[in-house]
Amino acid sequence: MHRSGATMAWNVFKFCTALRGLGSIMILLVLGVVGVTYYAVVLTNYGQALYAGGLDSLTALAVLILFHCLLVMLLWSYFSVVLTDPGGVPPNWRPAIDEERGEADPLNVLEFNNLPADQPANQRIRFCRKCNQLKPPRCHHCSVCGRCVLKMDHHCVWVVNCVGALNYKYFLLFLFYTFLETSLVTLSLLPHFIAFFSDGEIPGTPGTLATTFLAFVLNLAFALSVMGFLIMHISLVAGNTTTIEAYEKKTTPKWRYDLGRKKNFEQVFGTDMWYWFIPAYSEEDIRRMPALQGLEYPSKPDFDSQEF
């Protein structure tokens, strides 16, 4: 039994190491898909249609403007997720029960383990044995990153980073703009894709035709998959929960942090609507909303004495 457990732990470790090793490969893969799409839409098809004159030129101009606008927002959101730290536990963080004891008398691990089981605060305090530190509410340990992440949602191989409190909004915007961009590309290349199955002669070289075909298939696949993922995360935001929390509380009908859809939305996107669709926050929101920092989350009053 011990040997089997050790083998499983080793396999999990190798899996996490493999995910770390993907690193820049996934970023290059994303940029590769963007490059193929750009070549098919701009250089091969609609870029040349600009010089056709008449309605074709106007259609091509509209497609290209919308395509580039969405592409800029997609890449901005993507690299914001990749480069933004999802949020780590501050070195000297202590729970409220510790702060009431005074700065000179911190709550240590032994005292944490000896707290009465029926004490409400003990039910909300969790300890990470891998990081050897206390964990704030809604914080989880990521085996891939090797540390605790504030309000962790999941570790995403596509962004080579954890999705947590400080970059969750950017991740949602990345999904949103990816869905819009891939849907636009799919619809734009659909007439060219249908032409492959017609009897008429198709203009273009074998290379450009193959690129158009590949771009259509890739963008259709991404549009369908991202749509399902986006719908799932919209429901999570509406309930003020994360992917991990949704799994942990799957048998619990009520959730202590569900404050209503409006307030739940604001805890992720902020209150300033001018910043809702860009991967950034206003300084006022950052100053007024502690939830955006990932350490303090308001909860329903009737849940204060219940288990976290």
Side-chain angles (χ1 to χ4, degrees), residues 68-143:
H68 282 92
C69 289
L70 291 176
L71 182 61
V72 168
M73 297 308 299
L74 185 158
L75 293 176
W76 184 10
S77 300
Y78 177 71
F79 283 105
S80 293
V81 185
V82 172
L83 301 176
T84 301
D85 190 301
V89 182
N92 298 320
W93 182 86
R94 298 180 304 165
I97 183 176
D98 194 16
E99 294 174 354
E100 293 175 357
R101 295 156 59 94
E103 292 290 339
D105 190 17
L107 183 70
N108 56 43
V109 177
L110 180 61
E111 291 174 319
F112 167 76
N113 292 329
N114 292 332
L115 284 174
D118 58 349
Q119 185 171 339
N122 187 30
Q123 296 174 348
R124 294 194 297 271
I125 300 173
R126 297 171 302 149
F127 182 79
C128 180
R129 301 188 183 279
K130 295 180 180 180
C131 297
N132 195 33
Q133 65 182 9
L134 298 175
K135 295 197 295 185
R138 314 187 74 177
C139 176
H140 291 82
H141 184 87
C142 176
S143 298

Side-chain angles (χ1 to χ4, degrees), residues 273-290:
M273 66 175 57
W274 294 106
Y275 284 82
W276 284 354
F277 294 100
I278 63 173
Y281 291 102
S282 67
E283 294 183 2
E284 184 178 0
D285 275 346
I286 294 177
R287 184 175 62 255
R288 293 192 304 109
M289 301 183 64

